[in-house]
mmCIF file of all heavy atoms in Angstrom:
data_model
loop_
_atom_site.group_PDB
_atom_site.id
_atom_site.type_symbol
_atom_site.label_atom_id
_atom_site.label_comp_id
_atom_site.label_asym_id
_atom_site.label_seq_id
_atom_site.Cartn_x
_atom_site.Cartn_y
_atom_site.Cartn_z
ATOM 1 N N GLU H 373 -17.303 19.303 -11.688
ATOM 2 C CA GLU H 373 -18.567 18.648 -12.125
ATOM 3 C C GLU H 373 -19.232 17.770 -11.106
ATOM 4 O O GLU H 373 -20.372 17.362 -11.268
ATOM 5 C CB GLU H 373 -18.421 17.966 -13.532
ATOM 6 C CG GLU H 373 -17.467 16.852 -13.542
ATOM 7 C CD GLU H 373 -17.429 16.040 -14.929
ATOM 8 O OE1 GLU H 373 -17.554 16.783 -15.934
ATOM 9 O OE2 GLU H 373 -17.295 14.902 -14.923
ATOM 10 N N ARG H 374 -18.508 17.506 -10.031
ATOM 11 C CA ARG H 374 -19.138 16.787 -8.912
ATOM 12 C C ARG H 374 -18.547 17.330 -7.591
ATOM 13 O O ARG H 374 -17.279 17.351 -7.526
ATOM 14 C CB ARG H 374 -19.036 15.246 -9.008
ATOM 15 C CG ARG H 374 -19.792 14.554 -7.958
ATOM 16 C CD ARG H 374 -19.851 13.046 -8.180
ATOM 17 N NE ARG H 374 -20.572 12.422 -7.017
ATOM 18 C CZ ARG H 374 -20.521 11.093 -6.803
ATOM 19 N NH1 ARG H 374 -19.751 10.268 -7.516
ATOM 20 N NH2 ARG H 374 -21.207 10.604 -5.822
ATOM 21 N N GLU H 375 -19.314 17.638 -6.680
ATOM 22 C CA GLU H 375 -18.821 18.037 -5.346
ATOM 23 C C GLU H 375 -19.746 17.593 -4.225
ATOM 24 O O GLU H 375 -20.919 17.868 -4.197
ATOM 25 C CB GLU H 375 -18.672 19.664 -5.280
ATOM 26 C CG GLU H 375 -18.168 20.125 -3.889
ATOM 27 C CD GLU H 375 -17.859 21.645 -3.843
ATOM 28 O OE1 GLU H 375 -18.171 22.298 -4.880
ATOM 29 O OE2 GLU H 375 -17.341 22.068 -2.760
ATOM 30 N N VAL H 376 -19.166 16.844 -3.310
ATOM 31 C CA VAL H 376 -20.003 16.417 -2.160
ATOM 32 C C VAL H 376 -19.195 16.989 -0.866
ATOM 33 O O VAL H 376 -18.013 16.989 -0.746
ATOM 34 C CB VAL H 376 -20.079 14.871 -2.027
ATOM 35 C CG1 VAL H 376 -20.817 14.523 -0.761
ATOM 36 C CG2 VAL H 376 -20.705 14.324 -3.294
ATOM 37 N N ASP H 377 -20.025 17.613 0.015
ATOM 38 C CA ASP H 377 -19.547 18.318 1.128
ATOM 39 C C ASP H 377 -20.016 17.682 2.447
ATOM 40 O O ASP H 377 -21.264 17.682 2.575
ATOM 41 C CB ASP H 377 -20.014 19.767 1.007
ATOM 42 C CG ASP H 377 -19.672 20.706 2.241
ATOM 43 O OD1 ASP H 377 -19.343 20.214 3.289
ATOM 44 O OD2 ASP H 377 -19.815 21.904 2.019
ATOM 45 N N ILE H 378 -19.152 17.075 3.155
ATOM 46 C CA ILE H 378 -19.573 16.399 4.341
ATOM 47 C C ILE H 378 -18.983 17.127 5.593
ATOM 48 O O ILE H 378 -17.812 17.339 5.655
ATOM 49 C CB ILE H 378 -19.051 14.885 4.321
ATOM 50 C CG1 ILE H 378 -19.708 14.126 3.148
ATOM 51 C CG2 ILE H 378 -19.419 14.224 5.673
ATOM 52 C CD1 ILE H 378 -19.243 12.761 3.045
ATOM 53 N N ARG H 379 -19.897 17.482 6.519
ATOM 54 C CA ARG H 379 -19.395 18.198 7.758
ATOM 55 C C ARG H 379 -19.469 17.178 8.883
ATOM 56 O O ARG H 379 -20.449 16.386 9.019
ATOM 57 C CB ARG H 379 -20.315 19.331 8.076
ATOM 58 C CG ARG H 379 -20.280 20.364 6.946
ATOM 59 C CD ARG H 379 -18.911 20.819 6.556
ATOM 60 N NE ARG H 379 -19.007 21.700 5.428
ATOM 61 C CZ ARG H 379 -19.269 23.003 5.485
ATOM 62 N NH1 ARG H 379 -19.369 23.566 6.701
ATOM 63 N NH2 ARG H 379 -19.336 23.765 4.432
ATOM 64 N N VAL H 380 -18.488 17.238 9.703
ATOM 65 C CA VAL H 380 -18.326 16.309 10.844
ATOM 66 C C VAL H 380 -18.041 17.009 12.123
ATOM 67 O O VAL H 380 -17.472 18.168 12.139
ATOM 68 C CB VAL H 380 -17.281 15.210 10.602
ATOM 69 C CG1 VAL H 380 -17.620 14.496 9.253
ATOM 70 C CG2 VAL H 380 -15.905 15.788 10.597
ATOM 71 N N GLU H 381 -18.299 16.272 13.263
ATOM 72 C CA GLU H 381 -17.720 16.717 14.579
ATOM 73 C C GLU H 381 -17.121 15.462 15.145
ATOM 74 O O GLU H 381 -17.552 14.324 14.968
ATOM 75 C CB GLU H 381 -18.942 17.159 15.502
ATOM 76 C CG GLU H 381 -19.394 18.521 15.177
ATOM 77 C CD GLU H 381 -20.485 18.851 16.170
ATOM 78 O OE1 GLU H 381 -20.210 18.928 17.365
ATOM 79 O OE2 GLU H 381 -21.625 19.142 15.736
ATOM 80 N N ARG H 382 -15.975 15.766 15.801
ATOM 81 C CA ARG H 382 -15.287 14.613 16.408
ATOM 82 C C ARG H 382 -16.165 13.943 17.399
ATOM 83 O O ARG H 382 -16.712 14.653 18.357
ATOM 84 C CB ARG H 382 -13.919 14.966 17.019
ATOM 85 C CG ARG H 382 -12.958 13.857 17.067
ATOM 86 C CD ARG H 382 -11.730 14.253 17.792
ATOM 87 N NE ARG H 382 -11.116 15.398 17.141
ATOM 88 C CZ ARG H 382 -10.439 16.287 17.862
ATOM 89 N NH1 ARG H 382 -10.275 16.209 19.141
ATOM 90 N NH2 ARG H 382 -9.874 17.319 17.282
ATOM 91 N N ALA H 383 -16.341 12.635 17.365
ATOM 92 C CA ALA H 383 -17.370 11.920 18.170
ATOM 93 C C ALA H 383 -16.836 11.870 19.578
ATOM 94 O O ALA H 383 -17.631 11.928 20.519
ATOM 95 C CB ALA H 383 -17.565 10.511 17.589
ATOM 96 N N THR H 384 -15.538 11.708 19.818
ATOM 97 C CA THR H 384 -14.991 11.612 21.108
ATOM 98 C C THR H 384 -13.850 12.684 21.207
ATOM 99 O O THR H 384 -13.180 12.956 20.275
ATOM 100 C CB THR H 384 -14.335 10.174 21.433
ATOM 101 O OG1 THR H 384 -13.504 9.919 20.284
ATOM 102 C CG2 THR H 384 -15.407 9.138 21.414
ATOM 103 N N PRO H 385 -13.701 13.243 22.434
ATOM 104 C CA PRO H 385 -12.738 14.247 22.548
ATOM 105 C C PRO H 385 -11.365 13.855 22.158
ATOM 106 O O PRO H 385 -10.527 14.600 21.591
ATOM 107 C CB PRO H 385 -12.858 14.771 24.005
ATOM 108 C CG PRO H 385 -14.129 14.214 24.476
ATOM 109 C CD PRO H 385 -14.462 13.000 23.682
ATOM 110 N N ALA H 386 -10.970 12.683 22.518
ATOM 111 C CA ALA H 386 -9.561 12.247 22.306
ATOM 112 C C ALA H 386 -9.698 11.063 21.193
ATOM 113 O O ALA H 386 -10.574 10.194 21.302
ATOM 114 C CB ALA H 386 -8.910 11.633 23.543
#
Side-chain angles (χ1 to χ4, degrees):
Chain H
E373 62 177 36
R374 187 174 178 195
E375 177 173 6
V376 179
D377 175 342
I378 298 178
R379 301 305 175 87
V380 305
E381 283 183 60
R382 203 184 306 146
T384 51

